[in-house]
Amino acid sequence: MTTGTTDTPGTTGTHIHAEDYSALADGTAVRRWTLERDGTRVRVLTYGGILQSAEVPDRDGVRGPVALGLPDLAAYEEFSGPYFGALVGRYANRIAGAGFVLDGTDVRVTPNEGPNQVHGGPRGFDKRVWDAREVPDGVCLSLVAEDGEEGFPGRLAVSVTYGLEPGGALRIDYRATTDAPTVVNLTNHTYWNMAGADGTSALGHELRIAAGAITPVDGDSLPTGELAPVGGTRFDFREPKAVGAGYDHNYVLDGSPADGVAAELYAPASGRVLTVRTTEPGMQLYTADHFEGRPFGPCAGIALETQHFPDSPNRPEFPSTVLRPGEEFTSTTVYGFSVR
């Protein structure tokens, strides 16, 4: 990993700045990368692959923060539970009973939400320090999860690239390979508030999701296995409507929405619009109702986590998350920014 400070214009349009940022409580050094292009500025930490901040202009051209971030590393270590802006893996979302059967073998992973596992276990990718290198228009983060980490089989090599496209859209590309059969589900856990990430509520944002169904959950937030149509329910965001509280659900995205947009989030107060395009089959809508007592109040941000479905290793009817040697996991999500 490089040290010191670097400041380059990027190869094709993105200004890239890398700096020594701080150190974790155990002394591990952490770097911060700043990417800037066409009015968008984002900052990424090597700790957890965290998107610490994203700033974009409002309808008056004033640039301001739209992603919830914390002021320093100590805060990220203290408030790790909400996964502010982090890269989540090896398996995003929940695995029921912290176990599954893979090729006839019973796999037991580390529980960290009662008897279940969520977001990769107690020390998932959000708590790792990633290696980082500059790439055209961005930064590529990488790590290796050894066989048996948090109970998962296979030595998994992962890379995630944050880059800015022309116009200032944030593109996240995920790659992973393994030396033994395993399961993989990766996402970014940013909370968005397009009115300004200042701790005020994001409820009232207008949301559209190109999804005709959700995967309903039981009392432990585990999917029942059904695909429930959203029509006539509060889960129907096929036409834009104001977001209320009480959402922590996976949406079954339409394969080819007419405009290519899986989701759109609009803040009338600022005019800012976030669009989400993704290769993933699902998206978790999470309104963060339980931020009380955290650095932010309830519903201060809305998470739109593109990913495969929760508990897919135990649900053969869901799209498979199995990765085998010789295969490569790939996924792309693009967050676009505009005003209205």
Side-chain angles (χ1 to χ4, degrees):
M1 185 183 297
T2 57
T3 59
T5 298
T6 60
D7 203 348
T8 64
T11 57
T12 54
T14 299
H15 189 276
I16 301 170
H17 174 81
E19 60 186 324
D20 295 332
Y21 179 59
S22 187
L24 299 172
D26 66 2
T28 304
V30 171
R31 302 267 285 165
R32 181 166 72 176
W33 292 71
T34 300
L35 313 177
E36 189 164 359
R37 184 174 191 171
D38 295 337
T40 298
R41 179 167 59 204
V42 300
R43 291 188 171 94
V44 176
L45 304 181
T46 55
Y47 175 63
I50 288 169
L51 181 69
Q52 185 183 29
S53 66
E55 300 166 89
V56 299
D58 63 12
R59 64 164 61 94
D60 297 320
V62 178
R63 187 161 63 182
V66 294
L68 300 191
L70 302 179
D72 52 43
L73 280 181
Y76 281 106
E77 288 190 278
E78 180 180 1
F79 298 109
S80 62
Y83 301 91
F84 288 108
L87 295 177
V88 175
R90 167 179 318 198
Y91 198 92
N93 220 307
R94 293 169 175 85
I95 296 178
F100 54 92
V101 176
L102 179 60
D103 294 343
T105 299
D106 186 42
V107 176
R108 308 306 302 173
V109 296
T110 312
N112 62 327
E113 188 181 65
N116 310 309
Q117 188 190 83
V118 64
H119 292 332
R123 191 172 183 266
F125 294 172
D126 60 293
K127 297 176 182 66
R128 297 280 301 275
V129 175
W130 297 60
D131 291 325
R133 61 183 175 86
E134 184 176 330
V135 294
D137 290 322
V139 56
C140 179
L141 306 178
S142 60
L143 60 73
V144 172
E146 298 294 346
D147 177 45
E149 279 191 21
E150 300 299 343
F152 290 100
R155 185 177 190 268
L156 191 76
V158 184
S159 68
V160 179
T161 299
Y162 287 96
L164 292 181
E165 296 186 333
L170 173 63
R171 177 181 175 123
I172 308 178
D173 289 299
Y174 305 82
R175 299 286 185 273
T177 57
T178 183
D179 67 357
T182 191
V183 296
V184 178
N185 193 19
L186 305 176
T187 194
N188 174 274
H189 208 291
T190 294
Y191 298 91
W192 303 98
N193 188 325
M194 305 309 291
D198 57 3
T200 57
S201 175
L203 299 185
H205 278 49
E206 294 180 10
L207 177 64
R208 174 168 63 95
I209 303 176
I214 62 167
T215 53
V217 294
D218 62 19
D220 292 324
S221 297
L222 295 167
T224 63
E226 305 168 78
L227 301 184
V230 298
T233 75
R234 69 185 184 94
F235 299 102
D236 192 352
F237 287 96
R238 289 175 295 179
E239 296 296 329
K241 70 176 184 181
V243 183
Y247 292 93
D248 190 7
H249 296 82
N250 172 63
Y251 278 74
V252 180
L253 297 175
D254 295 342
S256 300
D259 59 359
V261 175
E264 181 180 272
L265 188 66
Y266 167 59
S270 69
R272 295 188 186 97
V273 181
L274 172 72
T275 57
V276 183
R277 292 175 168 85
T278 187
T279 59
E280 287 296 288
M283 185 187 73
Q284 189 84 4
L285 168 62
Y286 178 43
T287 50
D289 298 13
H290 307 298
F291 272 177
E292 193 68 58
R294 304 286 186 174
F296 299 100
C299 307
I302 296 171
L304 301 170
E305 307 159 58
T306 58
Q307 57 194 255
H308 271 58
F309 301 173
D311 202 31
S312 290
N314 290 307
R315 295 290 178 181
E317 65 270 33
F318 288 174
S320 176
T321 54
V322 174
L323 181 68
R324 300 185 182 280
E327 301 175 344
E328 183 181 36
F329 170 89
T330 62
S331 175
T332 297
T333 294
V334 179
Y335 295 100
F337 307 103
S338 59
V339 295
R340 184 182 300 163

